Amino acid sequence: MDYMLQWRVLPLLTLLASFLFLFYVQNSSKSSHKECSLIPYQHYWITSKRIVTPQGVISGSVEIKEGKILSIVKEEDWQGKSKVGHIVDYEEAVVMPGLIDVHAHLDDPGRAEWEGFPSGTKAAAAGGITTLVDMPLNSFPSTVSQETLKLKIKAAKERIYVDVGFWGGLVPENAFNASALEALLNAGVLGLKSFMCPSGINDFPMTNASHIKEGLSVLAKYRRPLLVHAEIQQDSEIHLEANDGSDDAHSYSTYLKTRPPSWEEAAIRELVAVTKETRSGGLAEGSHLHIVHLSDSSSSLELIKEAKNGGDSITVETCPHYLAFSAEEIHDGDTRFKCAPPIRDAANKEKLWEALLEGHIDMLSSDHSPTVPELKLLDDGNFLRAWGGISSLQFVLPVTWSYGQKYGVTLEQLALWWSERPAKLAGQELKGALATGNLADIVIWEPDVEFDLNDAYPVYFKHPSISAYMGTKLSGRVLATFVRGNLVYKEGKHAPAACGVPILAR
């Protein structure tokens, strides 16, 4: 009898346990959503007079449900639409796809005192960036293997406020080892990155054209890109030593002479010889080469244009600091402006803008490359010894907009340079545009609102004092940032929990 009773009761207990487990999971997810978002809704509408879509700027509404865009409705169709869910009205503010920054150094793990995932992604969220792709160097160890990628993914877990993907490193030790590169790619990196000059990081040595050719051949079957820092040191150039004791080291013009445009041209000339194989029918068909942070707008750019016209699979980015500043403006000793390749003269800057507007430069990235203030040598002012890198992550949207006004930059162009094309480079099909079915990655901002970047302004990356943008006045205040439908930033406040997703290629 006891056995029969037990036989009948056990299924009931199992069913009860299942219900309790389901109840726990559902309530856990609700609690989790509350921590991940500054609004409690999972089904809601965003309305605005200026919504930037692939079809143009419209007045209307974006319907969001469970992290994705369910529908986009024009204002004239809004009245007849059955509205289910909460409505968030942003009036005249611009609603735009979240920015995707394909070139950032978050220095985590190993050098989190330089930046780190929490501060870097908080700064990104405050600047309207919803997705970052982290570079494989400046963290320690560099991300050049399956094992080192696992360390980076572990460091990012529950510490990122926006989505973060990862580039892997192409270095001499893995370039001729196809199985090692395949293991790194199979582990989820979105592509590879290499340097054609010394990187300044000991465990990330430079590559040459032979390494790059091998890397492209492996990448071809994965259809993922190779990003290249395109500078080659020229033996014929005069090189100034950092420890020569000369006062010239405090002059920006001295530093500028140490990295002339010929360095970029030499590297790109070698690269376009290799990218011929990316053409249809070539040995590396399916691979793609992307040149990062172009500074030289003359010979280097012409070589890229010729390669594109020839059918090579090649793209190029530049950065806001090359479009905002010129060498003539940089004061002696102000090492905040040191980066590589360097900021060149005003005529070069004008030609970069021209190339961007005409479509010869494909996209923009921050190249956020911070360090600790001590390495920037702000007090000493020695350009030859100071760490090179511009800290800018939180400011790239207002910087591009503010300096672009002179050139008639449109909202659609911003979305193209900062969202649509970067999404394509990083292989993110559900990001980069406000379109039905896409992830609800959205920035809300006010283009006409001006603000001063002074000590009173809330800056979220770790070391604001080293940023070249501090002390400037900008237009374009970010009001809110949504990542996968979660409101992760709103007017100076972040969501309680870091619920960004590590992006891994599959």
Side-chain angles (χ1 to χ4, degrees):
M1 243 351 238
D2 289 342
Y3 174 78
M4 292 295 292
L5 181 64
Q6 190 178 31
W7 181 81
R8 290 176 180 175
V9 169
L10 272 175
L12 293 173
L13 289 173
T14 304
L15 188 62
L16 179 62
S18 299
F19 278 123
L20 288 171
F21 177 74
L22 184 63
F23 178 80
Y24 170 79
V25 168
Q26 286 177 334
N27 280 276
S28 295
S29 70
K30 286 177 184 175
S31 173
S32 174
H33 175 75
K34 184 179 178 182
E35 294 292 303
C36 293
S37 181
L38 293 169
I39 57 172
Y41 318 106
Q42 290 192 321
H43 187 190
Y44 59 94
W45 296 80
I46 289 174
T47 65
S48 168
K49 298 292 184 184
R50 292 187 285 181
I51 300 174
V52 183
T53 75
Q55 292 74 40
V57 180
I58 65 166
S59 176
S61 305
V62 180
E63 183 182 10
I64 296 163
K65 186 176 182 181
E66 296 176 357
K68 288 192 172 183
I69 297 173
L70 194 61
S71 67
I72 298 175
V73 182
K74 290 184 178 180
E75 185 177 21
E76 54 266 33
D77 303 323
W78 172 247
Q79 299 305 323
K81 179 79 174 179
S82 175
K83 295 175 281 292
V84 178
H86 184 78
I87 298 171
V88 185
D89 186 6
Y90 284 106
E91 301 177 346
E92 299 289 335
V94 170
V95 176
M96 202 169 83
L99 278 65
I100 298 173
D101 187 0
V102 295
H103 191 155
H105 298 267
L106 298 183
D107 312 321
D108 211 347
R111 291 190 178 94
E113 70 276 12
W114 290 19
E115 187 61 84
F117 284 124
S119 60
T121 56
K122 275 189 171 183
I129 297 169
T130 53
T131 304
L132 290 170
V133 190
D134 188 37
M135 281 292 169
L137 71 161
N138 296 10
S139 53
F140 182 79
S142 292
T143 312
V144 296
S145 66
Q146 181 181 6
E147 293 72 28
T148 51
L149 175 63
K150 287 178 180 177
L151 292 175
K152 185 163 280 191
I153 295 168
K154 183 179 179 181
K157 187 178 180 182
E158 297 180 355
R159 298 177 70 236
I160 52 177
Y161 287 83
V162 301
D163 290 356
V164 177
F166 311 97
W167 301 121
L170 178 73
V171 292
E173 72 181 72
N174 64 19
F176 294 106
N177 187 339
S179 61
L181 285 181
E182 288 172 357
L184 180 55
L185 290 160
N186 290 336
V189 294
L190 304 184
L192 301 175
K193 163 74 182 295
S194 74
F195 269 69
M196 297 182 77
C197 61
S199 71
I201 299 295
N202 291 336
D203 68 342
F204 204 93
M206 68 179 186
T207 55
N208 57 34
S210 296
H211 300 124
I212 287 165
K213 188 174 182 179
E214 290 296 319
L216 286 173
S217 69
V218 174
L219 286 161
K221 73 175 183 179
Y222 290 86
R223 295 191 172 272
R224 297 180 206 167
L226 172 62
L227 287 71
V228 181
H229 180 127
E231 287 184 289
I232 292 179
Q233 188 170 307
Q234 299 296 284
D235 293 336
S236 60
E237 303 290 348
I238 298 173
H239 305 303
L240 300 168
E241 295 298 325
N243 58 357
D244 64 358
S246 168
D247 289 339
D248 279 345
H250 298 84
S251 169
Y252 183 73
S253 62
T254 298
Y255 172 62
L256 190 58
K257 290 173 188 174
T258 68
R259 295 186 97 106
S262 59
W263 283 32
E264 290 186 81
E265 180 187 353
I268 292 169
R269 193 173 296 281
E270 288 197 11
L271 289 173
V272 297
V274 173
T275 56
K276 287 181 172 61
E277 296 298 340
T278 65
R279 297 176 186 176
S280 179
L283 294 175
E285 181 184 356
S287 64
H288 178 82
L289 190 131
H290 179 73
I291 295 169
V292 300
H293 52 43
L294 182 75
S295 172
D296 173 34
S297 62
S298 54
S299 302
S300 301
L301 184 61
E302 289 304 313
L303 288 168
I304 296 167
K305 287 161 66 174
E306 289 172 16
K308 285 184 176 183
N309 290 336
D312 296 14
S313 185
I314 185 171
T315 49
V316 60
E317 71 186 45
T318 193
C319 305
H321 44 272
Y322 299 123
L323 301 170
F325 305 125
S326 58
E328 296 91 335
E329 303 171 294
I330 299 173
H331 297 295
D332 289 353
D334 196 348
T335 54
R336 296 178 304 157
F337 291 87
K338 181 182 177 180
C339 58
I343 296 165
R344 305 196 190 278
D345 61 29
N348 183 79
K349 179 181 73 173
E350 293 298 314
K351 288 178 70 177
L352 284 176
W353 270 112
E354 182 181 316
L356 180 64
L357 293 165
E358 292 179 356
H360 302 304
I361 294 174
D362 300 278
M363 67 192 77
L364 297 174
S365 74
S366 73
D367 189 16
H368 177 69
S369 184
T371 186
V372 289
E374 295 78 29
L375 291 181
K376 206 64 174 160
L377 302 183
L378 299 177
D379 295 330
D380 180 84
N382 188 317
F383 274 103
L384 300 181
R385 290 186 176 190
W387 176 262
I390 303 289
S391 292
S392 61
L393 198 54
Q394 187 177 330
F395 311 139
V396 292
L397 175 56
V399 167
T400 309
W401 179 251
S402 300
Y403 289 92
Q405 289 305 286
K406 173 183 173 183
Y407 306 93
V409 166
T410 66
L411 298 173
E412 294 96 324
Q413 286 172 319
L414 284 181
L416 182 68
W417 300 332
W418 275 112
S419 303
E420 182 181 330
R421 286 178 176 166
K424 184 177 180 181
L425 179 74
Q428 300 305 299
E429 295 177 356
L430 297 181
K431 292 176 177 278
L434 298 185
T436 301
N438 275 8
L439 292 168
D441 291 356
I442 298 169
V443 56
I444 317 291
W445 63 292
E446 297 175 308
D448 300 325
V449 174
E450 292 187 338
F451 56 94
D452 293 305
L453 280 181
N454 53 32
D455 292 340
Y457 190 85
V459 178
Y460 297 98
F461 54 76
K462 192 158 282 183
H463 302 293
S465 66
I466 68 173
S467 176
Y469 292 106
M470 296 307 291
T472 63
K473 180 187 284 287
L474 299 174
S475 297
R477 182 170 70 108
V478 173
L479 290 177
T481 302
F482 295 81
V483 178
R484 297 176 184 254
N486 291 326
L487 179 57
V488 300
Y489 173 81
K490 179 184 177 183
E491 298 181 65
K493 185 178 180 182
H494 289 83
C499 299
V501 175
I503 303 170
L504 299 176
R506 298 299 181 196

